[in-house]
């Protein structure tokens, strides 16, 4: 009877798998018979394993020959019973054929759906191939990027090493610059001291000049007195003339001293401008010199017309510093 069942199932295209085994994995449309060989079932889902034949969500009963077996047993007893059972079998077979036709129709629909799925799968495979090709291009581009990144990292490491060398050199240069600035500060301070000393000398020269002027005025006055008294005191006149000559000599010497002092002052101004260019900042000194000189300025001293003392100095032409001498 099992062979007959197998022959029937092959006729409708089922995949015959023999007697059901609980450990076997059955695919969709796999056909088995129960251990009694009286019933035939078709798997409804792929991956069907361990599910009892009674689970209708996993198995569809195609053929149930239990009634036929009972009928065959009854035939051995009486012909009437055989005929009755045969009639029942024919009816059941008609029902089975009807169900089989329904199953064939469903299978046809399944085949059509499978064809649709196969077409969709073919399109998916084509898309997947396109994706694989694009992925290969991406991998090649990524490899190119990786090589470029490695080159960039190497260049960056070389740049970092050079930057470290530059920083070290810059630190050494800054240290040398600090030493040079300290030396320059000392030179500027020495120069300021020299300028102050020169200022004091100029003040003394101005005082000598004022004394010479006063002597000259006294000599002139004496000369006038001597001229007035010339007729009465020749000896006084000669003395006055001698005094006048001496006063003029003193005046000339004072003018020469003043000229020398002015030349020295010009040199001091030039030296001070150089010091201002190098250092750019000069702090207020205890000697009374305050201010800040920038760029290439010219120092102009202002002299009190009455006293003859130097009261202030101004940086001109691109300078913005005013130097005040506290005298």
């Amino acid at each position: 009877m099992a062979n007959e069942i197998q022959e029937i199932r092959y006729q409708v295209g089922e995949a015959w798998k023999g007697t059901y085994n609980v450990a076997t994995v059955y695919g969709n449309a796999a056909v088995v018979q129960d251990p009694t060989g009286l019933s035939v079932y078709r798997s409804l889902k792929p991956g069907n394993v361990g599910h009892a034949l009674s689970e209708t969500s996993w198995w569809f009963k195609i053929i149930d020959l239990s009634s036929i077996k009972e009928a065959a047993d009854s035939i051995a007893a009486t012909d009437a019973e055989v005929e009755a059972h045969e009639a029942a079998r024919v009816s059941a077979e008609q029902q089975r054929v009807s169900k089989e036709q329904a199953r064939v129709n469903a299978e046809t629909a399944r085949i059509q759906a499978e064809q649709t799925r196969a077409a969709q799968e073919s399109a998916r495979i084509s898309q997947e191939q396109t994706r694989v090709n694009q992925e290969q291009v991406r991998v090649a581009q990524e490899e190119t990027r990786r090589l470029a990144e490695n080159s960039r990292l190497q260049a960056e490491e070389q740049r970092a090493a050079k930057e470290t060398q530059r920083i070290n050199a810059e630190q050494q240069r800054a240290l040398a610059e600090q030493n040079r600035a300290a030396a320059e500060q000392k030179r500027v301070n020495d120069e300021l001291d020299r300028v102050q000393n020169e200022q004091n000398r100029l003040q003394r020269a101005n005082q000598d000049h004022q004394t010479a002027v006063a002597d000259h005025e006294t000599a002139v006055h004496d000369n006038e007195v001597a001229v007035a008294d010339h007729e009465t005191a020749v000896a006084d006149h000669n003395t006055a003339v001698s005094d006048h000559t001496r006063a003029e000599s003193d005046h000339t010497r004072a003018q020469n001293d003043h000229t020398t002092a002015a030349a020295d002052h010009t040199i001091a101004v030039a030296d001070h401008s150089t010091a201002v260019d190098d250092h750019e900042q000069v702090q207020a000194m205890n000697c009374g010199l305050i201010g800040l000189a920038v760029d290439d300025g010219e120092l102009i001293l202002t002299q009190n017309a009455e006293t003859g003392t130097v009261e202030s100095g101004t940086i001109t032409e691109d300078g913005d510093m005013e130097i005040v001498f506290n005298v």
Side-chain angles (χ1 to χ4, degrees):
M1 185 176 295
N3 293 334
E4 292 175 358
I5 295 174
Q6 181 178 1
E7 182 179 356
I8 292 172
R9 302 278 30 96
Y10 283 163
Q11 289 176 357
V12 296
E14 299 291 349
W16 175 252
K17 299 298 181 179
T19 301
Y20 173 74
N21 186 349
V22 70
T24 302
V25 178
Y26 295 99
N28 188 30
V31 176
V32 299
Q33 66 180 10
D34 63 4
T36 66
L38 297 177
S39 299
V40 177
Y41 296 84
R42 179 169 59 86
S43 175
L44 297 176
K45 300 177 183 179
N48 187 349
V49 58
H51 296 284
L53 294 175
S54 60
E55 294 183 31
T56 57
S57 61
W58 286 92
W59 294 100
F60 173 76
K61 182 183 290 187
I62 300 174
I63 298 175
D64 185 1
L65 297 181
S66 60
S67 60
I68 296 175
K69 183 178 182 301
E70 291 175 359
D73 294 339
S74 298
I75 289 174
T78 61
D79 292 340
E81 291 179 353
V82 170
E83 291 178 357
H85 285 301
E86 181 65 16
R89 188 192 66 77
V90 170
S91 178
E93 181 65 15
Q94 289 176 348
Q95 293 178 359
R96 188 197 68 75
V97 170
S98 178
K99 292 180 180 179
E100 182 65 17
Q101 184 62 44
R103 190 198 66 75
V104 169
N105 294 337
E107 181 65 15
T108 301
R110 187 193 67 76
I111 292 173
Q112 292 176 349
E114 180 65 17
Q115 290 174 346
T116 301
R117 189 198 65 75
Q120 293 175 346
E121 180 67 13
S122 178
R124 188 195 67 77
I125 291 173
S126 177
Q127 293 174 350
E128 180 66 15
Q129 184 61 41
T130 301
R131 188 195 66 77
V132 169
N133 294 336
Q134 292 175 346
E135 179 66 14
Q136 290 175 348
V137 173
R138 188 195 67 77
V139 169
Q141 292 175 345
E142 180 65 17
E143 179 65 17
T144 302
R145 187 199 66 77
R146 186 185 65 80
L147 294 176
E149 181 65 13
N150 289 338
S151 299
R152 188 192 69 78
L153 290 175
Q154 292 176 358
E156 181 64 17
E157 288 176 355
Q158 294 175 357
R159 188 198 67 76
K162 292 180 180 179
E163 180 66 12
T164 301
Q165 294 175 356
R166 188 195 67 77
I167 291 173
N168 293 335
E170 181 65 17
Q171 290 175 346
Q172 294 177 358
R173 188 200 65 76
L175 182 60
E177 181 64 19
Q178 290 176 354
N179 295 334
R180 189 198 67 77
E184 183 62 22
Q185 180 65 45
K186 182 178 182 304
R187 192 188 69 78
V188 169
N189 293 338
D190 294 341
E191 181 65 20
L192 290 174
D193 292 339
R194 193 188 68 76
V195 170
Q196 182 63 39
N197 293 333
E198 183 63 21
Q199 179 192 1
N200 295 336
R201 194 184 68 78
L202 286 175
Q203 290 176 355
R204 289 193 300 270
N206 287 332
Q207 292 174 356
D208 292 341
H209 176 68
Q210 292 173 5
T211 300
V213 170
D215 291 343
H216 176 68
E217 292 176 353
T218 301
V220 170
H221 181 267
D222 292 340
N223 184 56
E224 292 175 352
V225 173
V227 170
D229 295 341
H230 180 267
E231 295 180 354
T232 58
V234 174
D236 292 340
H237 174 69
N238 291 335
T239 301
V241 170
S242 177
D243 292 340
H244 178 68
T245 301
R246 183 175 64 254
E248 285 183 340
S249 176
D250 293 340
H251 178 66
T252 300
R253 183 171 60 255
Q255 286 182 333
N256 291 335
D257 292 340
H258 179 70
T259 302
T260 301
D264 293 339
H265 182 267
T266 301
I267 294 173
V269 169
D271 292 339
H272 181 266
S273 298
T274 301
V276 168
D277 291 340
D278 292 338
H279 188 57
E280 296 186 356
Q281 283 190 332
V282 177
Q283 298 178 345
M285 306 302 296
N286 293 331
C287 60
L289 178 62
I290 62 174
L292 177 66
V294 296
D295 300 328
D296 296 349
E298 178 182 358
L299 179 62
I300 298 178
L301 299 178
T302 302
Q303 184 179 33
N304 190 301
E306 296 180 358
T307 64
T309 59
V310 177
E311 295 181 341
S312 66
T314 304
I315 296 295
T316 63
E317 298 181 6
D318 299 331
D320 63 355
M321 181 193 80
E322 180 177 1
I323 300 176
V324 178
F325 296 95
N326 297 325
V327 297

